[in-house]
Amino acid sequence: MLERIRIVLVEPSHPGNIGGAARAMKTMGLSQLVVVNPKRFPDPQADWRAASALDVLDAAQVLPDVDAAIADCHWVVGTSTRLRKIPWPVADAKDIAAHVAAQLAAQDDRTRIAILFGREDNGLSNDELRRCNYHLQIPAAPAYSSLNLAMAVQVVCYEIYQASLSEPAVTPWDRTLATSGQVNAMLQAMEQTLTDTHFLDAANPGQTMTRLRRLFSRQQMDETEVQILRGIIKHMGQVK
Amino acid sequence: MLERIRIVLVEPSHPGNIGGAARAMKTMGLSQLVVVNPKRFPDPQADWRAASALDVLDAAQVLPDVDAAIADCHWVVGTSTRLRKIPWPVADAKDIAAHVAAQLAAQDDRTRIAILFGREDNGLSNDELRRCNYHLQIPAAPAYSSLNLAMAVQVVCYEIYQASLSEPAVTPWDRTLATSGQVNAMLQAMEQTLTDTHFLDAANPGQTMTRLRRLFSRQQMDETEVQILRGIIKHMGQVK
């Protein structure tokens, strides 16, 4: 079950953190590591910190951007310490872990979950955070709340492993969940049509698309729902 | 409250882990670090990994052995991954954290708690583990359960911080708790008297003292109880 969870490190600077994250994952039963545009990787420091998790490190995928890392995922979580201008659904590590475990138990074997961890110095960008269904915050001391990157991976994986040990309540769904890529493509078509039909001002679009993105990220959409919305968007483009 | 918890790293090999532990502690509101007989410390690598927790690192006490690190503590926990020949009370990180928070809320301001973390390669010795009231195990994947030292500190401090946020049930006690040093001195007097009176065979003492140590470690003793036992031991030595 835990092999359906992907840990995504976005533009890490220090290879030691990539190795540390791999070890943290393996101690908690996770194995799918994706590294987006790393500064230095592979690197001997990553190997050293991985200790006996070299297999996780060696199997890590290196990808050029976040979209490539999450396109086929059905639920995407972004770790974040800042509060956003437009608030997104937020939960702590424990609640996210419980939800992850429940989803993996409920859905079919193809369900993929991605958890994004941002850069050591300034986390995930606003644009990356808007790609996420949920934001995750690790409870930490207000005086110094900045966990090391690999430590944050350890805490989140620890909670996921603990949640996976208990039997979550299973609520089966009647449709296949939409992937992040499908939802994103639908939102892009929506933005295009809303601009073409002059609902949005191309020169000054404001926050409307962010708010729509948040609306459709809050619940996980299934493929039928995405198809219905795409039908409506297409229809709207034709009747302008 | 959290300043009454002491994190004790026993003979760490890698200075990076000492710095990483300091950072892990500070992100969870802890500040009291003790390092027992480190291989390399202070060290630039420790400073680097500590990031903005240099204050915790600079205030760390370096001591020659575990007894010096815990003598004035009232509850001592040892992290352990192995099962012992004579089983000791064991709890996971979450339950230990709940107990720590409840104790700190219940007892007076002088109550001190120590949590021991062992060597990177082979943990705490049997003798060190017998100094503990409780053993702590972090739930981990059976295939690779060896967390990095600083990562283990992060997980335990994270659980303690979470437990400290909720209001634990308070059960006040009518006597001052005994320190680890007082209980240890009582046990040494007991061993001496049991040997002098030939209850124990000095040449072949067996596991009797370990079992007695476990008995008196399981509950936290208060000072009155220790005094009563010392009275009995003294009496026994005189009537032989």
Side-chain angles (χ1 to χ4, degrees):
Chain A
M1 192 176 89
L2 297 176
E3 73 286 352
R4 289 187 272 145
I5 302 169
R6 185 178 300 168
I7 298 295
V8 181
L9 306 182
V10 181
E11 302 198 337
S13 302
H14 301 299
N17 282 333
I18 306 174
R23 177 171 179 182
M25 290 168 61
K26 189 169 178 183
T27 61
M28 297 296 153
L30 278 77
S31 57
Q32 304 300 309
L33 175 61
V34 171
V35 189
V36 171
N37 194 24
K39 198 172 249 178
R40 279 165 46 204
F41 182 72
D43 188 277
Q45 254 198 293
D47 291 1
W48 185 69
R49 288 278 298 281
S52 296
L54 265 182
D55 54 336
V56 172
L57 206 62
D58 289 344
Q61 273 190 287
V62 177
L63 294 174
D65 56 45
V66 166
D67 277 340
I70 64 173
D72 64 335
C73 290
H74 302 82
W75 203 60
V76 179
V77 175
T79 52
S80 166
T81 51
R82 287 166 294 177
L83 293 175
R84 328 309 308 180
K85 199 163 78 176
I86 297 188
W88 224 253
V90 175
D92 65 20
K94 195 177 173 59
D95 289 343
I96 290 283
H99 193 68
V100 164
Q103 279 194 78
L104 291 179
Q107 305 299 339
D108 68 37
D109 286 353
R110 292 168 305 170
T111 305
R112 292 282 175 279
I113 291 174
I115 304 181
L116 309 184
F117 292 83
R119 301 151 189 84
E120 286 93 340
D121 49 356
N122 52 10
L124 296 167
S125 70
N126 284 333
D127 194 53
E128 288 156 356
L129 283 165
R130 282 195 286 265
R131 292 279 183 280
C132 300
N133 297 89
Y134 246 93
H135 294 170
L136 182 161
Q137 292 189 335
I138 296 175
Y144 182 43
S145 61
S146 171
L147 273 73
N148 162 269
L149 171 57
M151 297 281 183
V153 172
Q154 180 77 68
V155 167
V156 171
C157 293
Y158 160 77
E159 287 286 16
I160 289 173
Y161 181 68
Q162 296 228 102
S164 76
L165 296 177
S166 61
E167 277 300 319
V170 172
T171 319
W173 201 247
D174 65 338
R175 288 288 187 278
T176 303
L177 290 180
T179 64
S180 177
Q182 289 169 327
V183 175
N184 197 40
M186 181 275 286
L187 283 164
Q188 283 171 346
M190 186 180 286
E191 181 169 15
Q192 188 61 53
T193 302
L194 291 178
T195 305
D196 292 348
T197 57
H198 308 294
F199 178 84
L200 291 178
D201 178 359
N204 187 18
Q207 295 289 356
T208 307
M209 279 314 300
T210 299
R211 291 184 181 277
L212 286 168
R213 191 173 274 282
R214 182 175 66 165
L215 169 66
F216 295 115
S217 299
R218 207 140 71 236
Q219 291 289 332
Q220 279 181 280
M221 298 183 73
D222 65 38
E223 289 185 343
T224 306
E225 291 162 345
V226 170
Q227 281 158 15
I228 293 169
L229 285 178
R230 292 208 71 142
I232 295 172
I233 293 161
K234 194 174 173 191
H235 176 72
M236 192 177 172
Q238 285 160 349
V239 296
K240 68 176 166 174
Chain B
M1 193 176 91
L2 297 175
E3 74 285 353
R4 289 187 269 146
I5 301 169
R6 185 178 299 169
I7 298 295
V8 181
L9 307 182
V10 181
E11 302 197 336
S13 302
H14 301 299
N17 283 332
I18 306 174
R23 178 171 179 180
M25 289 168 61
K26 189 169 178 183
T27 62
M28 297 297 153
L30 278 76
S31 56
Q32 304 300 310
L33 175 61
V34 171
V35 189
V36 172
N37 194 23
K39 199 173 248 178
R40 278 166 45 204
F41 182 72
D43 188 278
Q45 254 198 294
D47 291 0
W48 186 70
R49 289 279 298 282
S52 295
L54 265 182
D55 54 336
V56 172
L57 206 62
D58 289 344
Q61 274 190 285
V62 177
L63 294 174
D65 57 45
V66 166
D67 278 339
I70 64 173
D72 63 335
C73 290
H74 302 83
W75 202 58
V76 179
V77 175
T79 53
S80 167
T81 52
R82 287 165 293 175
L83 294 175
R84 328 308 309 180
K85 198 164 77 174
I86 297 190
W88 223 254
V90 175
D92 66 19
K94 197 178 172 56
D95 289 343
I96 290 283
H99 194 67
V100 164
Q103 280 194 78
L104 290 179
Q107 305 299 338
D108 68 37
D109 285 354
R110 292 167 304 171
T111 305
R112 292 283 175 276
I113 291 175
I115 304 181
L116 309 183
F117 293 83
R119 299 152 189 85
E120 286 93 340
D121 49 357
N122 53 10
L124 295 168
S125 70
N126 284 333
D127 193 52
E128 288 155 357
L129 283 165
R130 282 195 286 265
R131 291 279 182 283
C132 301
N133 297 89
Y134 246 92
H135 294 171
L136 182 161
Q137 292 189 334
I138 296 175
Y144 182 43
S145 62
S146 171
L147 274 72
N148 162 269
L149 171 58
M151 297 281 185
V153 172
Q154 181 77 67
V155 167
V156 171
C157 292
Y158 161 77
E159 286 286 16
I160 288 173
Y161 181 68
Q162 295 228 103
S164 76
L165 296 177
S166 61
E167 277 300 319
V170 172
T171 320
W173 201 247
D174 64 339
R175 288 287 189 277
T176 303
L177 290 180
T179 64
S180 177
Q182 289 168 328
V183 175
N184 196 40
M186 180 274 286
L187 283 163
Q188 284 172 346
M190 186 181 286
E191 182 169 15
Q192 189 61 54
T193 301
L194 292 178
T195 305
D196 291 348
T197 56
H198 308 294
F199 178 84
L200 290 179
D201 177 358
N204 188 18
Q207 295 289 356
T208 307
M209 279 315 301
T210 298
R211 292 184 179 279
L212 285 169
R213 191 174 272 284
R214 182 175 67 166
L215 169 65
F216 294 115
S217 299
R218 207 140 72 236
Q219 291 288 332
Q220 279 181 278
M221 298 183 73
D222 65 38
E223 289 186 344
T224 305
E225 291 162 345
V226 171
Q227 281 159 14
I228 293 169
L229 285 178
R230 293 207 71 142
I232 295 173
I233 293 160
K234 192 174 173 191
H235 176 72
M236 192 178 174
Q238 286 161 346
V239 297
K240 67 176 164 174

